[in-house]
Amino acid sequence: MTLGTFGMLTAALALALGLAPASARAQTFPVGDVRSWMKQYDRNGDGKLDRGEFYPAVVDAFFFRDKDKDGYLAISELKEASPESLRAVKHKDTARISLQEYVGALFKDFEAADTDGDGLLTVDEIERYRQKAR
């Protein structure tokens, strides 16, 4: 897999952040449903995700992607991953990353998507980040 295959980078944040409703985690899910995903993880209902709300989304995404359930994500399990998670796995000798490494990579994506620097992600910021990643 090369970075050139990332025509699906518009889905990078969606998949990397686990934008699948709980009922869809066992199957391929619609990437464009950011609002529904936001409602699922927006615990206080303010229409934004803070880092505390974002963390469970990342953990869910990790375990959703860990198809062989070995506690690591390999390149083959990161087909539509974010740029940061791919960088993390490609810079390792083992070519796989742990949950802790994945969380760290996705928080870098959180920072990149948080364009106004308020520590919160809105649907608009996520959509802009996905557009930029195309």
Side-chain angles (χ1 to χ4, degrees):
M1 182 167 84
T2 67
L3 290 178
T5 63
F6 280 84
M8 293 202 149
L9 270 178
T10 58
L13 191 61
L15 289 175
L17 301 180
L19 298 184
S23 62
R25 285 199 185 110
Q27 59 189 357
T28 303
F29 46 85
V31 172
D33 197 9
V34 176
R35 289 189 193 284
S36 293
W37 172 80
M38 180 75 78
K39 284 182 183 180
Q40 178 182 350
Y41 290 102
D42 181 14
R43 306 269 187 235
N44 64 6
D46 67 355
K48 301 174 183 179
L49 288 186
D50 61 32
R51 287 173 182 84
E53 294 166 324
F54 179 76
Y55 180 80
V58 173
V59 172
D60 284 352
F62 179 89
F63 288 107
F64 171 75
R65 299 184 100 145
D66 185 13
K67 300 296 184 198
D68 60 6
K69 304 301 179 209
D70 67 351
Y72 292 91
L73 294 181
I75 291 259
S76 63
E77 294 168 313
L78 292 168
K79 289 183 181 167
E80 290 130 350
S82 75
E84 286 300 331
S85 58
L86 280 175
R87 272 193 276 287
V89 76
K90 286 185 175 186
H91 284 92
K92 292 189 64 171
D93 292 337
T94 61
R96 64 185 195 162
I97 58 175
S98 66
L99 174 60
Q100 182 179 1
E101 292 166 319
Y102 187 73
V103 168
L106 272 291
F107 271 94
K108 288 179 183 177
D109 285 322
F110 182 101
E111 295 299 323
D114 181 20
T115 54
D116 63 6
D118 66 353
L120 302 168
L121 289 181
T122 64
V123 169
D124 289 340
E125 285 176 319
I126 292 169
E127 292 293 349
R128 281 193 304 269
Y129 184 74
R130 290 170 61 192
Q131 289 295 322
K132 183 179 171 184
R134 278 189 178 180

